[in-house]
Amino acid sequence: MIKFELDERLAADTLPIADLPLSRVLLMNDARYPWVVLVPRQASISEVFALSADDQRQLWREATLLGEAMKTALKGDKVNIASLGNVVSQLHVHVVLRRHSDATWPAPVWGNGSPEPYDLDGQAQLRNQLLALINGLDV
C-alpha cells in the first residue's frame, strides 16, 4: 500500500495547521490573503472523482464549513473554493478568503503579484485563529 505524502511544491508553499477527518489543512504562505489548502490524506489521488462518494462529500463538507467559519470570524467579503491541478497534480482544494480591499480584488489570486510570506508573528496569529475555527467545526 502506498502511503500519503504531501507534494513537494505544496510543502514548500504552505505551513501545516491541522488534520481534519479527511484532509490535511495547510496555510498558504502568502500574507495577502487568509488562504488554506485542504489535501485529502490519500495516496496518489489527483481528481475529486477518484475519491469514494463518502470522501467526496466529506471533502466538500470540510471546505465549505471551514470557508464559512473563516468568512465569519475573519470578516471576509467572499470565499473562493477551488480545486486546480495544473501545477500540482495531487488533489487539493483551495479555500481563499477574499476582501474588497485585498491586493488583487476582484481578480483571481493566482498569477497576480508575488506572494508575501508571513512574518513569525503574523503566521502564529493566523494559525491560532484557524486552529480555533477548526476545533469548533462539526466535521
Side-chain angles (χ1 to χ4, degrees):
M1 178 197 256
I2 302 171
K3 70 176 193 158
F4 167 77
E5 289 186 33
L6 186 62
D7 180 274
E8 291 177 5
R9 175 118 186 213
L10 285 174
D13 291 346
T14 63
L15 307 160
I17 300 296
D19 283 343
L20 292 171
L22 177 68
S23 305
R24 177 144 307 149
V25 181
L26 308 167
L27 174 63
M28 186 64 76
N29 194 11
D30 187 348
R32 298 176 299 162
Y33 321 95
W35 179 353
V36 298
V37 177
L38 303 179
V39 183
R41 292 184 317 279
Q42 296 186 9
S44 303
I45 299 286
S46 62
E47 305 293 346
V48 173
F49 57 75
L51 295 171
S52 70
D54 286 343
D55 284 347
Q56 290 176 39
R57 286 187 289 276
Q58 182 63 30
L59 179 59
W60 188 244
R61 181 170 177 74
E62 291 173 1
T64 57
L65 288 175
L66 185 53
E68 180 182 25
M70 288 171 61
K71 183 176 182 184
T72 300
L74 304 176
K75 301 182 181 1
D77 296 307
K78 178 73 176 108
V79 175
N80 296 155
I81 299 175
S83 174
L84 304 172
N86 300 348
V87 175
V88 174
S89 64
Q90 182 175 36
L91 178 59
H92 60 287
V93 175
H94 298 266
V95 180
V96 187
L97 183 71
R98 300 299 306 272
R99 297 182 178 115
H100 293 199
S101 61
D102 74 34
T104 60
W105 181 270
V109 296
W110 293 275
N112 284 305
S114 297
E116 297 174 11
Y118 284 96
D119 62 29
L120 290 179
D121 289 338
Q123 175 188 335
Q125 180 181 357
L126 186 54
R127 184 178 190 282
N128 289 339
Q129 288 176 300
L130 290 170
L131 280 171
L133 295 177
I134 289 166
N135 289 333
L137 294 179
D138 183 20
V139 291

